[in-house]
C-alpha cells in the first residue's frame, strides 16, 4: 500500500550559483561523497548534486509528518549496477522506496513513492 509520494524540481542554475564544495558537504552522505569525488566532469558533478538534492527534498515531502530531526545526510541516493537510483536510510526501514531521477540541461527532477512493507 502506498504511504506517500513526493516530487521535487531543481533548477541547475540555482545549484550552479552555489559554492558546490560547500553544498556537497551539506547534503551528501559519506557514501555519496565518495561517488561525487570520482566524478571528473563539471556538468556531471552539477547534475549529480541537483539530482540528489531533488530526491532528498522529495523524500522530505514524503515524511511531512515525521519527527523533523532528519537531515540531508541521513539519506543516501545511490545507484545499483544498472544505474537505477535507490535509497539507503534508517528512516526508510519500514518502507519500500521507489525513486526516479531525471535531468535536462536546465533542471533535475525526482519522484519518490513510499510503499508500506507488508
Amino acid at each position: 500500500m502506498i504511504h506517500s509520494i513526493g516530487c521535487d524540481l531543481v533548477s541547475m542554475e540555482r545549484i550552479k550559483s552555489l559554492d558546490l564544495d560547500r553544498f556537497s558537504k551539506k547534503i551528501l552522505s559519506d557514501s555519496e561523497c565518495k561517488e561525487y569525488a570520482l566524478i571528473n566532469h563539471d556538468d556531471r558533478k552539477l547534475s549529480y548534486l541537483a539530482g540528489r538534492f531533488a530526491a532528498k527534498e522529495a523524500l522530505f515531502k514524503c515524511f511531512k509528518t515525521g519527527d523533523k530531526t532528519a537531515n540531508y545526510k541521513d539519506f543516501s541516493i545511490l545507484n545499483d549496477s544498472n544505474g537505477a537510483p535507490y535509497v539507503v536510510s534508517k528512516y526508510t526501514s519500514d518502507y519500500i522506496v521507489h525513486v526516479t531521477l531525471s535531468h535536462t540541461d536546465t533542471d533535475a527532477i525526482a519522484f519518490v513513492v513510499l510503499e508500506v512493507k507488508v
Side-chain angles (χ1 to χ4, degrees):
M1 173 172 43
I2 293 176
H3 171 72
S4 59
I5 62 171
C7 182
D8 197 65
L9 178 68
V10 174
S11 163
M12 294 286 208
E13 283 301 315
R14 176 177 169 223
I15 303 301
K16 193 175 187 178
S17 71
L18 303 172
D19 177 340
L20 295 185
D21 285 334
R22 185 171 169 229
F23 185 65
S24 69
K25 289 174 185 163
K26 178 181 176 183
I27 69 158
L28 298 180
S29 68
D30 291 342
S31 299
E32 292 167 321
C33 282
K34 289 175 186 172
E35 287 184 350
Y36 183 72
L38 297 175
I39 302 171
N40 294 320
H41 194 273
D42 288 342
D43 287 342
R44 179 65 188 112
K45 280 185 174 280
L46 179 63
S47 66
Y48 184 90
L49 284 177
R52 270 44 189 187
F53 184 63
K56 292 176 185 200
E57 287 289 314
L59 275 161
F60 288 146
K61 291 173 183 175
C62 288
F63 290 107
K64 57 189 166 269
T65 59
D67 65 9
K68 311 261 192 268
T69 61
N71 66 54
Y72 295 109
K73 292 183 176 192
D74 289 329
F75 299 92
S76 292
I77 315 298
L78 304 173
N79 296 90
D80 67 16
S81 60
N82 295 316
Y86 66 95
V87 177
V88 176
S89 175
K90 67 181 180 181
Y91 292 97
T92 59
S93 61
D94 294 336
Y95 305 98
I96 299 167
V97 182
H98 306 276
V99 59
T100 187
L101 304 171
S102 189
H103 305 82
T104 68
D105 290 340
T106 59
D107 299 293
I109 190 168
F111 188 78
V112 175
V113 175
L114 288 185
E115 181 181 353
V116 178
K117 288 182 180 176
V118 288

